Amino acid sequence: EAGVTQFPSHSVIEKGQTVTLRCDPISGHDNLYWYRRVMGKEIKFLLHFVKESKQDESGMPNNRFLAERTGGTYSTLKVQPAELEDSGVYFCASSQSPGATDTQYFGPGTRLTVL
Amino acid sequence: RKEVEQDPGPFNVPEGATVAFNCTYSNSASQSFFWYRQDCRKEPKLLMSVYSSGNEDGRFTAQLNRASQYISLLIRDSKLSDSATYLCVVGYNQGGKLIFGQGTELSVKP
Protein backbone atom coordinates (compact mmCIF):
# COMPACT_ATOMS: atom_id res chain seq x y z
CA GLU A 1 0.00 0.00 0.00
CA ALA A 2 1.38 3.41 -0.97
CA GLY A 3 2.06 5.81 1.86
CA VAL A 4 1.39 9.52 2.08
CA THR A 5 3.17 11.35 -0.70
CA GLN A 6 4.07 15.01 -0.92
CA PHE A 7 5.25 17.17 -3.77
CA PRO A 8 7.64 18.85 -4.21
CA SER A 9 10.24 17.47 -1.82
CA HIS A 10 12.06 20.81 -1.84
CA SER A 11 11.12 24.30 -2.93
CA VAL A 12 13.25 27.42 -2.93
CA ILE A 13 11.44 30.66 -3.70
CA GLU A 14 11.93 34.36 -3.18
CA LYS A 15 9.99 36.44 -0.72
CA GLY A 16 6.75 37.60 -2.27
CA GLN A 17 6.37 34.63 -4.60
CA THR A 18 3.67 31.98 -4.42
CA VAL A 19 4.20 28.32 -3.70
CA THR A 20 1.74 25.43 -3.75
CA LEU A 21 2.43 22.24 -1.86
CA ARG A 22 0.57 19.03 -2.61
CA CYS A 23 -0.29 16.07 -0.44
CA ASP A 24 -1.75 12.74 -1.53
CA PRO A 25 -3.02 10.81 1.48
CA ILE A 26 -3.22 7.06 1.80
CA SER A 27 -6.10 5.81 -0.33
CA GLY A 28 -9.31 5.61 1.67
CA HIS A 29 -8.15 7.95 4.42
CA ASP A 30 -10.80 10.60 4.95
CA ASN A 31 -8.72 12.55 7.47
CA LEU A 32 -5.89 14.72 6.24
CA TYR A 33 -3.70 16.94 8.40
CA TRP A 34 -1.09 19.59 7.65
CA TYR A 35 1.74 20.31 10.08
CA ARG A 36 4.80 22.52 9.89
CA ARG A 37 8.20 22.58 11.54
CA VAL A 38 10.15 25.80 11.41
CA MET A 39 13.85 25.85 12.29
CA GLY A 40 14.51 25.23 15.95
CA LYS A 41 10.86 24.77 16.86
CA GLU A 42 8.52 21.86 17.40
CA ILE A 43 6.21 20.45 14.74
CA LYS A 44 2.97 22.43 14.84
CA PHE A 45 -0.51 21.58 13.65
CA LEU A 46 -1.93 23.73 10.84
CA LEU A 47 -5.27 22.21 9.90
CA HIS A 48 -7.41 19.12 9.55
CA PHE A 49 -9.70 18.04 6.71
CA VAL A 50 -12.41 15.44 6.92
CA LYS A 51 -13.00 14.56 3.31
CA GLU A 52 -13.29 17.94 1.62
CA SER A 53 -14.37 19.89 4.70
CA LYS A 54 -12.09 21.85 7.00
CA GLN A 55 -12.65 20.39 10.46
CA ASP A 56 -10.12 22.52 12.32
CA GLU A 57 -8.00 25.30 10.90
CA SER A 58 -6.96 26.79 14.22
CA GLY A 59 -3.25 26.38 13.45
CA MET A 60 -3.15 28.33 10.21
CA PRO A 61 -0.78 31.23 10.86
CA ASN A 62 -2.48 33.91 8.76
CA ASN A 63 -4.49 34.53 5.63
CA ARG A 64 -1.49 34.09 3.37
CA PHE A 65 -2.04 30.35 3.76
CA LEU A 66 -4.86 28.65 1.86
CA ALA A 67 -5.56 24.94 2.05
CA GLU A 68 -7.94 23.06 -0.18
CA ARG A 69 -9.05 19.50 -0.63
CA THR A 70 -11.43 19.46 -3.54
CA GLY A 71 -13.15 16.11 -4.00
CA GLY A 72 -11.80 14.86 -0.70
CA THR A 73 -8.71 13.24 -2.22
CA TYR A 74 -5.45 15.15 -2.47
CA SER A 75 -4.88 18.48 -0.73
CA THR A 76 -2.96 21.60 -1.63
CA LEU A 77 -1.49 24.23 0.64
CA LYS A 78 -0.77 27.55 -1.04
CA VAL A 79 1.36 30.28 0.47
CA GLN A 80 0.82 33.67 -1.16
CA PRO A 81 2.84 35.83 -0.83
CA ALA A 82 5.61 33.87 0.90
CA GLU A 83 7.58 35.52 3.70
CA LEU A 84 10.96 34.59 5.16
CA GLU A 85 9.37 33.15 8.31
CA ASP A 86 7.41 30.64 6.23
CA SER A 87 10.59 28.62 5.68
CA GLY A 88 10.42 25.19 7.22
CA VAL A 89 9.30 21.64 6.59
CA TYR A 90 5.63 21.11 5.82
CA PHE A 91 4.30 17.65 6.68
CA CYS A 92 1.05 16.11 5.65
CA ALA A 93 -0.50 13.20 7.52
CA SER A 94 -3.56 11.06 7.00
CA SER A 95 -5.65 8.69 9.06
CA GLN A 96 -8.65 6.49 8.43
CA SER A 97 -10.70 7.64 11.41
CA PRO A 98 -10.87 10.99 13.13
CA GLY A 99 -9.55 11.40 16.62
CA ALA A 100 -6.05 11.01 17.90
CA THR A 101 -6.45 7.34 18.76
CA ASP A 102 -6.17 6.43 15.09
CA THR A 103 -2.59 6.41 13.81
CA GLN A 104 -1.62 9.34 11.66
CA TYR A 105 0.78 8.42 8.87
CA PHE A 106 3.11 11.18 7.84
CA GLY A 107 4.43 12.01 4.42
CA PRO A 108 8.12 12.78 3.82
CA GLY A 109 7.51 16.51 3.96
CA THR A 110 8.19 19.47 1.69
CA ARG A 111 11.20 21.54 2.68
CA LEU A 112 10.38 25.16 1.85
CA THR A 113 13.06 27.82 1.78
CA VAL A 114 12.03 31.45 1.29
CA LEU A 115 14.93 33.76 0.37
CA ARG B 1 4.98 27.76 28.28
CA LYS B 2 5.03 25.01 25.67
CA GLU B 3 2.12 22.59 25.82
CA VAL B 4 4.48 19.59 25.63
CA GLU B 5 7.96 19.81 27.13
CA GLN B 6 10.73 17.29 26.78
CA ASP B 7 14.17 16.75 28.25
CA PRO B 8 16.73 18.79 26.39
CA GLY B 9 19.18 16.69 24.38
CA PRO B 10 21.28 15.41 22.92
CA PHE B 11 21.72 12.13 24.75
CA ASN B 12 24.94 10.37 23.81
CA VAL B 13 25.05 6.79 25.08
CA PRO B 14 27.09 3.66 24.35
CA GLU B 15 25.55 0.60 22.76
CA GLY B 16 23.79 -1.54 25.31
CA ALA B 17 22.96 1.35 27.62
CA THR B 18 19.53 2.04 29.05
CA VAL B 19 18.21 5.51 28.35
CA ALA B 20 15.11 7.27 29.65
CA PHE B 21 13.23 10.19 28.13
CA ASN B 22 10.78 12.29 30.07
CA CYS B 23 8.01 14.56 28.95
CA THR B 24 5.37 16.71 30.62
CA TYR B 25 2.20 18.15 29.15
CA SER B 26 0.24 21.10 30.40
CA ASN B 27 -3.30 20.51 29.14
CA SER B 28 -5.21 18.11 31.35
CA ALA B 29 -7.74 17.69 28.52
CA SER B 30 -5.16 15.76 26.53
CA GLN B 31 -6.56 12.31 25.80
CA SER B 32 -4.04 10.37 23.74
CA PHE B 33 -0.32 10.02 24.19
CA PHE B 34 2.41 8.81 21.89
CA TRP B 35 6.10 8.55 21.27
CA TYR B 36 7.14 9.18 17.68
CA ARG B 37 10.57 8.65 16.22
CA GLN B 38 12.08 10.92 13.60
CA ASP B 39 15.22 10.09 11.70
CA CYS B 40 17.34 12.89 10.28
CA ARG B 41 15.48 14.71 7.49
CA LYS B 42 12.68 12.14 7.51
CA GLU B 43 9.06 12.16 8.59
CA PRO B 44 7.90 11.31 12.13
CA LYS B 45 6.85 7.69 12.58
CA LEU B 46 4.77 6.32 15.40
CA LEU B 47 6.92 4.34 17.82
CA MET B 48 4.23 3.51 20.33
CA SER B 49 1.10 4.74 21.97
CA VAL B 50 1.22 5.29 25.73
CA TYR B 51 -1.41 4.00 28.12
CA SER B 52 -2.04 4.66 31.80
CA SER B 53 -1.30 1.05 32.64
CA GLY B 54 2.10 1.33 30.97
CA ASN B 55 3.02 -0.64 27.91
CA GLU B 56 6.02 -2.43 26.53
CA ASP B 57 7.15 -3.26 23.02
CA GLY B 58 10.35 -5.26 23.01
CA ARG B 59 13.11 -3.05 24.36
CA PHE B 60 10.80 -0.04 24.67
CA THR B 61 8.63 0.73 27.69
CA ALA B 62 6.30 3.71 27.92
CA GLN B 63 4.56 5.03 31.01
CA LEU B 64 1.88 7.65 31.55
CA ASN B 65 1.03 9.38 34.81
CA ARG B 66 -2.11 11.42 34.27
CA ALA B 67 -2.07 12.90 37.76
CA SER B 68 1.41 14.35 37.21
CA GLN B 69 0.84 14.91 33.48
CA TYR B 70 4.07 13.06 32.83
CA ILE B 71 5.06 10.62 30.09
CA SER B 72 8.23 8.54 29.87
CA LEU B 73 10.01 6.28 27.44
CA LEU B 74 12.65 3.77 28.46
CA ILE B 75 14.91 2.13 25.91
CA ARG B 76 16.86 -0.88 27.11
CA ASP B 77 19.92 -2.39 25.45
CA SER B 78 20.36 0.55 23.05
CA LYS B 79 21.29 -0.25 19.47
CA LEU B 80 23.09 1.94 16.95
CA SER B 81 19.86 1.94 14.95
CA ASP B 82 18.03 3.63 17.85
CA SER B 83 19.85 6.87 17.04
CA ALA B 84 17.12 9.35 16.13
CA THR B 85 15.03 12.16 17.58
CA TYR B 86 12.26 11.01 19.91
CA LEU B 87 9.12 13.13 19.94
CA CYS B 88 6.63 13.19 22.77
CA VAL B 89 3.15 13.79 21.34
CA VAL B 90 -0.27 14.35 22.88
CA GLY B 91 -3.59 14.34 21.12
CA TYR B 92 -7.24 15.22 21.50
CA ASN B 93 -9.70 12.58 20.44
CA GLN B 94 -12.08 15.15 19.05
CA GLY B 95 -10.56 16.11 15.72
CA GLY B 96 -7.26 14.35 16.08
CA LYS B 97 -4.94 17.34 16.30
CA LEU B 98 -1.51 16.28 17.60
CA ILE B 99 0.69 18.48 19.78
CA PHE B 100 4.40 17.75 19.54
CA GLY B 101 7.24 18.32 21.92
CA GLN B 102 10.44 19.68 20.51
CA GLY B 103 12.08 16.26 20.55
CA THR B 104 15.11 14.75 22.20
CA GLU B 105 18.01 13.63 20.07
CA LEU B 106 19.55 10.27 20.89
CA SER B 107 22.92 9.20 19.58
CA VAL B 108 24.02 5.64 20.33
CA LYS B 109 27.76 5.11 19.87
CA PRO B 110 29.67 1.85 19.36
Side-chain angles (χ1 to χ4, degrees):
Chain A
E1 180 183 297
V4 177
T5 57
Q6 293 187 244
F7 182 83
S9 56
H10 293 80
S11 180
V12 181
I13 60 172
E14 293 194 351
K15 177 181 169 180
Q17 290 186 318
T18 298
V19 63
T20 300
L21 314 181
R22 173 171 169 146
C23 168
D24 285 77
I26 292 172
S27 178
H29 282 192
D30 287 340
N31 295 273
L32 187 151
Y33 305 83
W34 284 98
Y35 294 87
R36 172 174 82 164
R37 185 171 201 161
V38 298
M39 180 90 73
K41 302 277 191 179
E42 66 276 17
I43 296 171
K44 285 195 170 174
F45 167 83
L46 296 178
L47 88 159
H48 169 209
F49 284 99
V50 178
K51 297 186 180 177
E52 67 275 9
S53 300
K54 290 176 188 171
Q55 177 80 10
D56 179 357
E57 49 184 330
S58 61
M60 294 288 263
N62 52 60
N63 60 10
R64 295 186 294 102
F65 289 74
L66 175 65
E68 294 181 322
R69 193 183 181 196
T70 308
T73 53
Y74 71 90
S75 174
T76 58
L77 180 65
K78 182 160 74 173
V79 185
Q80 179 184 32
E83 298 289 343
L84 299 179
E85 65 265 23
D86 300 333
S87 296
V89 183
Y90 289 76
F91 291 106
C92 174
S94 72
S95 67
Q96 197 155 34
S97 304
T101 51
D102 197 31
T103 301
Q104 291 185 24
Y105 296 90
F106 281 76
T110 294
R111 187 170 297 272
L112 174 65
T113 302
V114 183
L115 302 175
Chain B
R1 183 188 170 190
K2 293 186 192 303
E3 194 165 341
V4 179
E5 302 232 36
Q6 294 186 239
D7 277 353
F11 283 32
N12 296 303
V13 303
E15 264 188 298
T18 295
V19 61
F21 299 135
N22 303 311
C23 167
T24 56
Y25 61 96
S26 60
N27 191 336
S28 59
S30 302
Q31 296 171 297
S32 301
F33 308 90
F34 312 92
W35 284 100
Y36 274 72
R37 170 193 168 128
Q38 186 174 24
D39 292 288
C40 189
R41 301 180 84 84
K42 299 282 191 182
E43 71 272 23
K45 289 187 178 175
L46 179 65
L47 178 66
M48 58 198 301
S49 300
V50 189
Y51 306 109
S52 296
S53 53
N55 47 301
E56 190 174 304
D57 182 3
R59 297 180 294 108
F60 299 83
T61 301
Q63 297 274 357
L64 166 66
N65 184 323
R66 283 187 184 264
S68 305
Q69 294 181 198
Y70 172 90
I71 307 163
S72 66
L73 176 69
L74 187 75
I75 305 176
R76 289 181 300 278
D77 189 23
S78 301
K79 311 290 184 193
L80 297 178
S81 57
D82 293 334
S83 297
T85 295
Y86 290 81
L87 303 166
C88 178
V89 184
V90 304
Y92 302 91
N93 289 350
Q94 189 172 357
K97 168 179 167 179
L98 297 179
I99 310 296
F100 286 78
Q102 196 159 352
T104 304
E105 186 182 342
L106 172 66
S107 179
V108 181
K109 306 289 188 187

